[in-house]
Amino acid sequence: MIRGLAYGFPSPGAQESWNPRAFSCGNKKKPDPGLNEYGKKNPGYPAGELYTGDYHLSLRSAADALTDPSLIRICSALHGLVDLERSLRSYNVRLGDPNAITQEKVAGHAASLGVHDADVIFLGGQGYADLLRPAVPHLYTPLVGGMGDHRGQCRQARENPALRDAWWNAAADRHAAVNEKTQPDGAPPGLRGHASDEA
């Protein structure tokens, strides 16, 4: 999520900053909408409605608690970073498949969103975090363990404002630490450039 982009504002001060949140897509999706009476493909579904699996829905509900939906991005194995309103058709692509999104394309998406200058929380599996981290070296990934653990942690985030605040504080600290590490000594904060690709 990008603070102020995945799901929820932690505090009034955070509402004034742009903080994305991202989370991974899911294997379970709505069925393909098929063809219309003229043999043309029917429109897809908004990305925010396409994925129907319990894991994805758990990630999404936590993201909704973290920030405004307009700042949320789904990391799709086929399409990369997509907003909740983007129309997508059902697909069957996993990370590592020949048609899967590449790190280079995801880097382009991240650059166009300006995430180099935002606190970013990512909710999802390690493969998706690995896909995003070269483009977003300050990516904060609070979920640990397996999918069941992730779902429990997402439930806690939905129910506990203090945990959401702690996640945002950790994301801000990570962002500051990466910026400090990747900037030349003595560069004024307002003149700092993009973070490097190193974690």
Side-chain angles (χ1 to χ4, degrees), residues 1-10 14-23 63-64 66-74 82-84 113 115 118-121 168:
M1 288 154 229
I2 304 170
R3 189 170 201 146
L5 161 77
Y7 303 142
F9 293 103
Q15 294 178 16
E16 297 174 8
S17 65
W18 188 70
N19 298 328
R21 292 106 183 126
F23 65 102
D64 284 336
L66 283 162
T67 195
D68 186 80
S70 67
L71 298 176
I72 295 168
R73 297 297 182 268
I74 297 171
V82 296
D83 66 60
L84 300 180
L113 290 169
V115 298
D119 302 336
V120 182
I121 293 176
W168 280 121

Side-chain angles (χ1 to χ4, degrees), residues 9 13-14 18 25 32 35 56 63 68 76 84 89 91 95 123 136 139 150 157 160 169-170 172:
F9 293 103
W18 188 70
C25 64
D32 189 291
L35 306 176
H56 175 86
D68 186 80
S76 161
L84 300 180
R89 294 175 62 85
Y91 60 91
L95 293 181
L123 304 176
V136 189
L139 190 71
H150 289 189
N160 186 343
N169 290 334

Side-chain angles (χ1 to χ4, degrees), residues 1-3 18-20 110 114-122 132-141 167-168 170-180 182 193-199:
M1 288 154 229
I2 304 170
R3 189 170 201 146
W18 188 70
N19 298 328
V115 298
H116 68 279
D117 196 28
D119 302 336
V120 182
I121 293 176
F122 173 75
L132 289 168
R133 192 161 315 276
V136 189
H138 57 282
L139 190 71
Y140 178 63
T141 54
W167 284 5
W168 280 121
D173 290 347
R174 175 144 177 86
H175 188 190
V178 169
N179 273 348
E180 279 299 317
T182 59
H194 301 291
S196 77
D197 285 349
E198 297 176 4

